[in-house]
Amino acid sequence: MLKIIALLGLLGFSSLVNAEGGYEAITPAQPVQNPDKIEVIEFFWYGCPHCYSLEPSMVEWLKTKPANVEFIRQPAVFSDLWGKHAKAYFTAEALGILDKVHADLFDAIQNKKQKLVSEDELAKFFADHGVKDEDFRSAFNSFLVDAKLRQAESTGPRYGISGVPALIVNGKYKVTAQSAKSQANMLTVVNQLIAQESQKK
């Protein structure tokens, strides 16, 4: 797992590791977007090989996730480089082609070793996916994308994110490869927490 030194203590965050349960309890618990759903957030970075290796399992899990689960992808931002890749994500989202390019962004960075950090590099990537240059640059430099990027910079610390991939269940529990004992066990723990939270509804 990629570790980032963060001054989490200054942000008032603390967590309690539940070794048996495979998660860390988030204190204080964070609000969810839709109280009627069980929220699952995936913190990731396109430059993270562990996130890339988890992606096939995430794709399969999304096909069978319970109907009461609301899934949110959240780019983590811990440096300027991470921010550039997060901006690519939010640009794709603004253009309405996120589902089309998400896997390809991973592939371009992880397998093809493309950096995709400059506006021109990303313009070419998006052009290869059928986006006009002017449409890309308009979205890339928009207030909406900038606002989402600034929000992402403060979102990770609220959940005590110090590395990726990390999965958050209902604003209360953080699941990592370390807490779950393996990356392969992360979604098993998440499913158990979903079932636990569903009983409270």
Side-chain angles (χ1 to χ4, degrees):
M1 175 178 287
L2 297 172
K3 292 295 182 181
I4 301 297
I5 298 174
L7 301 178
L8 299 175
L10 296 178
L11 295 168
F13 169 85
S14 63
S15 63
L16 181 64
V17 178
N18 185 311
E20 184 177 344
Y23 62 85
E24 296 178 43
I26 297 171
T27 306
Q30 298 299 305
V32 298
Q33 293 186 14
N34 183 353
D36 295 327
K37 297 281 189 175
I38 306 300
E39 183 180 270
V40 175
I41 304 175
E42 178 197 14
F43 282 90
F44 75 98
W45 172 41
Y46 285 122
C48 166
H50 305 293
C51 299
Y52 181 57
S53 66
L54 179 64
E55 186 65 13
S57 297
M58 292 301 304
V59 170
E60 289 303 311
W61 178 80
L62 285 170
K63 294 176 182 178
T64 60
K65 70 175 179 60
N68 67 332
V69 170
E70 183 165 326
F71 176 69
I72 300 170
R73 283 194 180 95
Q74 178 62 55
V77 181
F78 288 114
S79 71
D80 182 63
L81 176 60
W82 290 43
K84 291 180 186 302
H85 290 161
K87 193 170 184 179
Y89 175 92
F90 293 127
T91 298
E93 187 176 56
L95 289 167
I97 60 168
L98 183 57
D99 289 343
K100 179 180 178 181
V101 305
H102 178 66
D104 287 349
L105 279 166
F106 261 127
D107 182 62
I109 293 170
Q110 293 293 324
N111 293 329
K112 298 177 181 176
K113 306 304 179 184
Q114 297 177 13
K115 294 182 179 181
L116 297 186
V117 293
S118 73
E119 183 174 341
D120 286 344
E121 287 171 338
L122 284 166
K124 183 181 184 306
F125 173 88
F126 278 84
D128 290 342
H129 288 79
V131 178
K132 294 179 180 178
D133 187 79
E134 58 266 33
D135 291 340
F136 162 76
R137 294 185 191 275
S138 176
F140 185 79
N141 294 297
S142 67
F143 174 81
L144 174 63
V145 168
D146 183 62
K148 288 194 171 187
L149 179 59
R150 284 186 280 110
Q151 183 180 40
E153 292 171 349
S154 62
T155 299
R158 287 199 296 111
Y159 294 92
I161 302 299
S162 58
V164 290
L167 301 171
I168 306 296
V169 179
N170 234 22
K172 301 176 182 178
Y173 312 105
K174 179 175 69 173
V175 180
T176 64
Q178 183 178 6
S179 69
K181 306 304 181 185
S182 71
Q183 183 169 290
N185 197 42
M186 286 176 65
L187 286 169
T188 298
V189 173
V190 165
N191 286 333
Q192 292 170 348
L193 290 170
I194 290 170
Q196 174 182 303
E197 289 296 294
S198 295
Q199 293 176 358
K200 301 176 183 179
K201 295 290 185 181

